[in-house]
């Protein structure tokens, strides 16, 4: 018969069950001020999760929403760079860790702020021989602390940019329960669609959680001088991923990568360009499906 922590007799006074309840209570209290928690994930790496997160955040902020972004890619954080916040010093007060804020008011937390410079990797301090036993636990606690200890304040949207794969998504939902929305990023190639479809099945069939929809990034090629879209990949347009709808399509535009590298979301630096409009349309789509309005 399986026992829960609460049933273990004589834990030497460490009160493990009480400690876990305390941690979960603090997380719940912090998240109570966040109206919509949106997970941005993909089974596939490099398809634009972080780019879409940064620009969707900027589009929501441009529409007047209070927005926070959590970079949950602990080993490969990229959002501090994409928001132009690298090198910011974190400060701490009675409300918690103060997240760096962009000029447009987006609050950002990332492992990047804890690393000395651009060359420093994330290395956990512990007995390397038994690393398998504790590494996953530290990754989970890092995510929990980012969610709990950051002074997010009152937010309409907290976008959570996950690393590729489904593992950190599962950890996130262990901590948070069902996100208010899960957005899956893909690109229109057979390889991406195959891997992404598997990650959707993992979420819906194994974790039994809903997926709001897919965003197809790099859906076409938009070059600054062309003033219209050209094909980028030859994959046929599809409207759903096994029943999961496509929420939006974002073209590839070389200036979008330049904007990310320069530290300003494309939606802010090229607000009047069609690819920026695609993000604003996506923000509207998200707002209609996941409304921060009080119930
Ligand atoms: N629509 C786009 N137009 C131009 N460049 C893009 C676009 N989307 C993404 N990129 C570029 O492609 C690269 C990968 O994007 P990004 O880092 O957002 O992917 P990711 O899915 O978050 O990757 P990872 O799996 O490593 O987390 C980046 O250099 C980014 O600037
Ligand atoms: Mg990323």
């Amino acid at each position: 018969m399986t026992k829960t922590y609460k049933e273990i007799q004589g834990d030497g006074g460490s009160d493990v069950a009480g400690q876990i309840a305390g941690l979960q209570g603090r997380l719940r209290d912090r998240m109570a001020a966040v109206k919509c928690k949106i997970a941005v994930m993909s089974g596939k790496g490099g398809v634009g999760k972080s780019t879409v997160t940064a620009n969707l955040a900027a589009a929501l902020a441009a529409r007047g929403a209070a927005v926070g972004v959590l970079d949950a890619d602990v080993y490969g954080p990229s959002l501090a760079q994409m928001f132009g916040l690298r090198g910011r010093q974190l400060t701490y007060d009675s409300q918690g860790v103060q997240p760096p804020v962009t000029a447009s008011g987006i609050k950002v937390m990332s492992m990047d702020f804890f690393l000395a410079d651009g060359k420093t990797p994330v290395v956990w301090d512990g007995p390397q021989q038994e690393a398998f036993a504790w590494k996953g636990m530290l990754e989970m606690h890092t995510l929990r602390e980012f969610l709990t200890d950051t002074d997010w304040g009152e937010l309409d949207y907290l976008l959570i940019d996950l690393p590729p794969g489904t593992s950190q998504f599962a950890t996130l939902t262990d901590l948070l329960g069902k996100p208010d929305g899960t957005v899956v990023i893909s690109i229109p190639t057979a390889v991406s669609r195959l891997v992404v479809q598997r990650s959707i099945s993992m979420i819906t069939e194994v974790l039994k959680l809903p997926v709001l929809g897919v965003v197809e990034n790099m859906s076409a090629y938009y070059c600054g001088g062309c003033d219209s879209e050209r094909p980028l990949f030859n994959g046929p347009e599809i409207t759903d991923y096994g029943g999961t709808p496509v929420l939006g399509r974002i073209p590839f535009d070389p200036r979008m990568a330049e904007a990310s590298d320069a530290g300003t979301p494309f939606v802010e630096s090229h607000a009047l360009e069609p690819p920026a409009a695609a993000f604003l349309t996506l923000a509207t789509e998200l707002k209609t499906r996941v409304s921060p309005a009080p119930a």
Side-chain angles (χ1 to χ4, degrees), residues 110-238:
S110 171
M111 189 56 135
D112 190 293
F113 301 129
F114 295 85
L115 301 172
D117 56 37
K119 287 189 283 188
T120 310
V122 174
V123 181
W124 308 110
D125 200 5
Q128 291 305 314
Q129 268 185 330
E130 295 90 28
F132 67 88
W134 50 263
K135 237 180 200 169
M137 187 87 83
L138 285 189
E139 287 162 11
M140 184 272 288
H141 280 299
T142 305
L143 192 53
R144 185 185 53 72
E145 285 181 15
F146 279 166
L147 289 164
T148 307
D149 297 344
T150 305
D151 180 16
W152 296 108
E154 303 262 331
L155 291 181
D156 294 317
Y157 291 95
L158 176 62
L159 305 187
I160 303 161
D161 175 31
L162 290 151
T166 49
S167 153
Q168 191 81 327
F169 177 84
T171 305
L172 179 74
T173 57
D174 260 0
L175 289 164
L176 276 186
K178 181 169 84 72
D180 300 289
T182 296
V183 175
V184 182
I185 313 299
S186 185
I187 60 173
T189 66
V191 170
S192 174
R193 284 171 174 160
L194 173 71
V195 176
V196 164
Q197 182 58 64
R198 282 195 213 287
S199 54
I200 292 175
S201 304
M202 174 74 189
I203 296 172
T204 56
E205 290 166 26
V206 180
L207 299 174
K208 309 267 186 235
L209 293 168
V211 170
L212 209 56
V214 172
V215 173
E216 276 207 335
N217 187 27
M218 309 190 195
S219 60
Y221 179 64
Y222 189 91
C223 90
C226 312
D227 77 15
S228 68
E229 291 185 2
R230 309 268 166 91
L232 181 63
F233 300 108
N234 289 326
E237 189 166 287
I238 64 165

Side-chain angles (χ1 to χ4, degrees), residues 68-84:
V69 173
L70 172 57
D71 186 349
D73 194 337
V74 172
Y75 295 103
S78 54
L79 285 173
Q81 173 81 29
M82 291 185 177
F83 281 112

Side-chain angles (χ1 to χ4, degrees), residues 52-67:
V52 171
T53 303
N55 283 284
L56 181 56
L60 288 165
R63 292 265 154 92
V67 183

